[in-house]
Amino acid sequence: MATGIKTRAFLVGCPRSGTTLLQSMLFAHPEIYSFPETNFFLSLFGARDLLTMGTTPQGSVRKFRELVRSIMELLGVTEYRRRARAWEPMLLLPNFYVATRCNSISLRHNVKTFVQIVDAASLKAGRPIWVEKTPDHLFYVKRIQQYIPDAAFIHIIRNGRDTVASLVDAARKFPDVWEDQHHQNLQFVDGTSPSGKVFVSGRSPALSGPL
């Protein structure tokens, strides 16, 4: 762990479950640094491709790509398209010194570079704890743990009916942004629960504190 960094945390959960609200509350703490969603691991590990590969006319092509991706991940490498997609948002985030995207094919080196950049931004702000909030990183908590063993996770859980109602409402009001996201979140993804440092927070009027 970098000198001065106390905790690296990932805030995950279903979209529309309160992750942004909780992020804002955490960021108000003088020791916690946070920033806009990066989608870094979602892009690097190809979660979007995995979730949608059976829902398009190119499903067989996507399945073949997924097979290739699985083999590459076993070898610890990633393709250019995924690296480019992962690093593109990072170039636009304020306070992040990203002189150039990581050009290595190594997954471990890409993750290490990501951590170094966020560590540097957090320490520059004088905050020893950082929280990365991308709800869909929930699908890859085990992979993140594989490359960042000391990572902590905050999994927020909102009442299921309220979350679904909010997703449907968002898809109706902003179809260009939320319709695809709404369908993705109807997919069942098994084996996403992380082990180790996991904090579960409940959002419900009936709750006075974390679950």
Side-chain angles (χ1 to χ4, degrees), residues 29-98:
H29 192 284
E31 289 194 347
I32 297 178
Y33 181 72
S34 198
F35 38 90
E37 295 180 20
T38 67
N39 292 299
F40 184 81
F41 297 94
L42 180 66
S43 299
L44 190 66
F45 296 130
R48 284 197 178 94
D49 289 348
L50 178 62
L51 288 173
T52 61
M53 67 181 181
T55 63
T56 68
Q58 296 82 24
S60 59
V61 175
R62 287 182 180 271
K63 288 178 181 179
F64 175 75
R65 289 177 178 174
E66 182 62 23
L67 175 61
V68 173
R69 181 192 68 85
S70 299
I71 295 173
M72 293 182 70
E73 285 193 7
L74 287 174
L75 298 174
V77 298
T78 184
E79 61 179 307
Y80 172 80
R81 181 173 58 89
R82 297 188 194 280
R83 295 199 308 275
R85 185 188 300 170
W87 283 106
E88 196 64 34
M90 297 290 291
L91 299 174
L92 303 176
L93 291 178
N95 303 321
F96 282 11
Y97 180 70
V98 186

Side-chain angles (χ1 to χ4, degrees), residues 2 10 15 17 28 36 58-62 66 72 81 96 111-112 116 151-152 158 169 173 196 203 206:
F10 293 85
S17 64
Q58 296 82 24
S60 59
V61 175
R62 287 182 180 271
E66 182 62 23
M72 293 182 70
R81 181 173 58 89
F96 282 11
V111 175
K112 180 180 179 180
Q116 289 174 340
R158 182 185 183 186
D169 182 63
K173 290 180 178 178
R203 177 186 172 187

Side-chain angles (χ1 to χ4, degrees), residues 4-5 7 31-35 95-96 116-131:
I5 293 293
T7 303
E31 289 194 347
I32 297 178
Y33 181 72
S34 198
F35 38 90
N95 303 321
F96 282 11
Q116 289 174 340
I117 290 171
V118 180
D119 281 357
S122 184
L123 292 174
K124 184 177 180 180
R127 301 190 176 204
I129 300 169
W130 57 256
V131 176

Side-chain angles (χ1 to χ4, degrees), residues 159-176:
N159 179 281
R161 290 171 295 183
D162 293 337
T163 302
V164 171
S166 183
L167 283 167
V168 172
D169 182 63
R172 287 173 176 171
K173 290 180 178 178
F174 311 101
D176 293 342

Side-chain angles (χ1 to χ4, degrees), residues 8 10 41 45 108 111 137-154 191-199:
R8 303 181 178 104
F10 293 85
F41 297 94
F45 296 130
R108 188 168 299 281
V111 175
H137 280 166
L138 174 65
F139 297 127
Y140 276 84
V141 288
K142 289 185 177 180
R143 299 303 309 277
I144 294 172
Q145 283 183 318
Q146 179 183 348
Y147 292 99
I148 312 176
D150 59 359
F153 293 86
I154 305 168
T192 59
S193 298
S195 58
K197 294 189 290 183
V198 185
F199 306 91

